Amino acid sequence: MVEQIGNLTFGIIKPDAVRAGKVGTIIQRITDGGFKLHGLKLIHMTRQEAEGFYAVHRERPFFAGLTEFMSSGPCVVTVLEKAGAVKAWRDLMGATDPAKADAGTLRKEFGASVGENAVHGSDSEENARIEISYFFSQLELVG
Ligand code: IDP
Ligand code: MG
């Protein structure tokens, strides 16, 4: 696990995309994009768990709305493997604001707004490691 961390990243299918019935489609896009699934589960975060996950953003004006949204319903948390996984997954997600995301990206296709943008992805290998361990135990990681 430690040896292969450069090839792992963490992703979330956010509550808006789950509500819209897009879980299957997005997982298909993930595997079509050449990612291997190492971890996958449906969770419903409490407000406190969402606040812990996004603690780095706690001073931002959108923090309350973001944590309310992320705890508003189930989401799917994933651990993804691919060479250069962090960048590869962010490339597939697209820009934070769906209106600015490239054609063919998940946020362009499934995101409604800068806040409700369908998917999350780690922004560095270090944060991928932290975020994976926030949601997954060793026993839940396969392969
Ligand atoms: P990222 O998800 O593309 O890495 P971040 O800047 O890390 O973007 O922001 C985390 C999340 O916070 C975003 O995915 C989005 O849901 C929300 N967010 C970011 N900026 C805004 C904003 O200006 N208004 C509302 N929500 C925002
Ligand atoms: Mg981010």
Side-chain angles (χ1 to χ4, degrees):
M1 164 87 181
V2 170
E3 295 72 35
Q4 46 180 237
I5 195 71
N7 292 332
L8 292 179
T9 193
F10 172 75
I12 303 179
I13 304 173
K14 293 186 178 185
D16 56 334
V18 175
R19 269 194 288 275
K22 299 301 178 189
V23 169
T25 305
I26 291 174
I27 290 174
Q28 186 70 57
R29 293 279 292 276
I30 288 170
T31 51
D32 286 350
F35 294 88
K36 183 178 164 195
L37 291 166
H38 269 271
L40 183 72
K41 63 182 174 182
L42 186 70
I43 65 165
H44 187 156
M45 274 184 257
T46 64
R47 185 71 179 263
Q48 201 175 8
E49 286 164 347
E51 288 170 357
F53 177 65
Y54 280 116
V56 66
H57 293 309
R58 66 188 168 276
E59 305 300 338
R60 310 284 287 276
F62 56 81
F63 182 69
L66 174 61
T67 56
E68 182 181 12
F69 164 59
M70 290 300 289
S71 58
S72 69
C75 56
V76 174
V77 286
T78 65
V79 179
L80 308 176
E81 182 193 354
K82 187 178 180 175
V86 168
K87 181 176 187 302
W89 173 230
R90 289 195 67 96
D91 286 349
L92 180 56
M93 289 199 307
T96 306
D97 182 352
K100 296 177 185 155
D102 289 340
T105 62
L106 297 172
R107 281 170 163 172
K108 183 70 167 187
E109 198 167 333
F110 304 115
S113 66
V114 66
E116 303 203 4
N117 56 6
V119 283
H120 164 85
S122 306
D123 62 7
S124 66
E125 287 178 21
E126 185 191 359
N127 284 333
R129 187 178 48 75
I130 292 167
E131 293 175 359
I132 290 168
S133 61
Y134 191 76
F135 290 106
F136 289 92
S137 73
Q138 258 326 313
L139 279 173
E140 293 173 308
L141 297 176
V142 176

